[in-house]
């Protein structure tokens, strides 16, 4: 098993040493991330895509940020994560500090079930060409780069324009991330079992800018409109991985008809939209 902890919290490091000791005493081979000082009896490995390769479980001691960091290690190896909340809110963690001993016992006995969570695939495009790709467990967020200015965006669903906003940004969230940035921006809490994607504007200067919930197969896109009153923008994946961008798209197929109908019924402003239709491309964006 791979044990990782928030290195800035002494209680997390103490807990990691305790977990390492109890696992090794139970005959479980343990890995820890180099520099985390998780005590004797564990193999130290670099914080790389190979860190969790071949492990049965990744145990995370810390808050939600620690678990999102650990997801970068576990995802390449398709190894499940389990967290102990030693932070503040800790929506992603399975156990609280007083349940640490029970968590270790259950992990040793393999008394746990694996729950699949949605992630979003992200593509950044400039002039139609993909210039970067990524993924997120919680959310992919397009945000303004300069505090004193807004960004002008057109949002799209399934290759069709939805609305144009001046705003601080747009959050594209999974159900897992609905209790994080999307919630702070006014989005709904979505149970993890619900298959959906959220698109939530951040401080939009518009009469029609509600949070939207769409199919998990849909393509959500945020297209930046250049102008002298707008600032540059950045893409954040889970608040950890940053890309300076011109256009960000979340991958996935889906029908376009409902988006067109929504625009028509509400008279939404989409002037300036430059996105390609399915008829133009013959394929999904």
């Amino acid at each position: 098993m791979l044990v990782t902890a928030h290195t800035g919290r002494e209680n997390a490091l103490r807990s990691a040493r305790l977990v390492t000791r109890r696992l090794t005493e139970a005959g479980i081979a343990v890995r820890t991330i180099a520099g985390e000082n998780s005590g004797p009896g564990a193999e130290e490995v670099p914080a790389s895509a190979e860190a969790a390769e071949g492990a049965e479980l990744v145990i995370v001691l810390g808050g939600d940020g620690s678990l999102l960091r650990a997801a970068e290690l576990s995802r390449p190896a398709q190894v499940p994560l389990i967290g102990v909340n030693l932070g503040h809110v800790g929506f992603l963690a399975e156990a609280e500090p007083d349940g640490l001993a029970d968590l270790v016992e259950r992990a040793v006995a393999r008394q746990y079930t694996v729950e699949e969570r949605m992630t979003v695939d992200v593509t950044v495009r400039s002039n139609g060409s993909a210039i970067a790709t990524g993924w997120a467990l919680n959310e992919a967020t397009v945000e303004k780069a300069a505090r004193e200015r807004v960004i002008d965006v057109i949002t799209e669903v399934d290759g069709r324009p939805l609305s144009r906003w001046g705003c601080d940004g747009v959050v594209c969230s999974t159900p897992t991330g609905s209790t994080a940035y999307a919630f702070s921006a006014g989005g709904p809490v979505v149970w993890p079992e619900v298959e959906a994607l959220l698109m939530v504007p951040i401080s939009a200067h518009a009469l029609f800018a509600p949070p939207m919930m769409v199919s998990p197969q849909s393509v959500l896109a945020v297209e930046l409109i250049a102008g002298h009153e707008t600032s540059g923008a950045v893409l954040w994946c889970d608040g950890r991985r940053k890309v300076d961008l011109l256009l960000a798209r979340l991958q996935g197929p889906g029908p376009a008809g409902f988006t067109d109908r929504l625009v028509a019924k509400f008279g939404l402003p989409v002037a300036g939209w430059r996105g390609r239709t399915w008829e133009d491309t013959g394929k999904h964006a």
Side-chain angles (χ1 to χ4, degrees):
M1 295 186 184
L2 174 64
V3 177
T4 181
H6 190 309
T7 57
R9 297 179 185 274
E10 181 55 37
N11 63 333
L13 294 176
R14 284 198 306 269
S15 297
R17 288 191 286 269
L18 173 63
V19 170
T20 299
R21 187 178 74 250
R22 293 196 175 186
L23 288 174
T24 54
E25 288 174 352
I28 304 295
V30 179
R31 296 178 195 163
T32 59
I33 301 300
E36 291 190 358
N37 189 26
S38 295
E43 174 193 3
E44 285 198 347
V45 296
S48 67
E50 293 76 35
E53 193 68 41
E56 179 181 335
L57 196 65
V58 177
I59 300 177
V60 186
L61 292 307
D64 284 350
S66 298
L67 198 140
L68 291 173
R69 166 178 165 266
E72 297 173 3
L73 305 177
S74 69
R75 187 173 187 263
Q78 295 294 291
V79 176
L81 289 166
I82 190 165
V84 178
N85 177 36
L86 300 177
H88 298 291
V89 180
F91 266 108
L92 298 178
E94 180 67 20
E96 296 298 322
D98 58 2
L100 181 59
D102 182 62
L103 182 147
V104 174
E105 289 179 7
R106 288 174 178 267
V108 170
R110 293 180 174 172
Q111 295 176 347
Y112 59 85
T113 58
V114 177
E115 178 183 281
E116 292 189 357
R117 294 291 182 95
M118 287 176 53
T119 60
V120 291
D121 292 325
V122 182
T123 301
V124 179
R125 298 183 185 276
S126 177
N127 296 322
S129 299
I131 60 173
T133 59
W135 65 279
L137 173 60
N138 265 2
E139 74 280 306
T141 308
V142 177
E143 301 179 29
K144 64 181 184 180
R147 183 181 184 277
E148 68 275 10
R149 293 189 182 276
V150 299
I151 51 176
D152 192 11
V153 303
I154 290 182
T155 55
E156 306 169 17
V157 179
D158 299 325
R160 306 301 299 173
L162 177 63
S163 191
R164 180 171 179 169
W165 304 318
C167 58
D168 287 351
V170 181
V171 180
C172 299
S173 168
T174 67
T176 299
S178 70
T179 54
Y181 200 172
F183 177 75
S184 298
V189 173
V190 180
W191 265 241
E193 296 83 4
V194 176
E195 295 187 354
L197 289 173
L198 297 176
M199 181 163 59
V200 184
I202 306 171
S203 302
H205 190 70
L207 290 176
F208 186 90
M212 307 293 293
M213 186 181 296
V214 302
S215 162
Q217 285 79 40
S218 287
V219 179
L220 303 183
V222 180
E223 182 174 325
L224 294 176
I225 306 300
H228 69 280
E229 293 296 330
T230 60
S231 70
V234 294
L235 167 73
W236 285 99
C237 292
D238 287 335
R240 292 183 49 82
R241 302 175 297 281
K242 174 185 173 184
V243 179
D244 295 318
L245 54 74
L246 296 177
L247 174 63
R249 291 184 183 274
L250 302 187
Q251 302 276 4
F258 183 76
T259 307
D260 288 342
R261 189 158 62 251
L262 198 64
V263 170
K265 295 293 185 182
F266 284 98
L268 304 179
V270 295
W273 180 69
R274 303 185 305 275
R276 298 171 297 170
T277 67
W278 287 9
E279 292 80 5
D280 291 336
T281 63
K283 61 183 179 180
H284 303 316

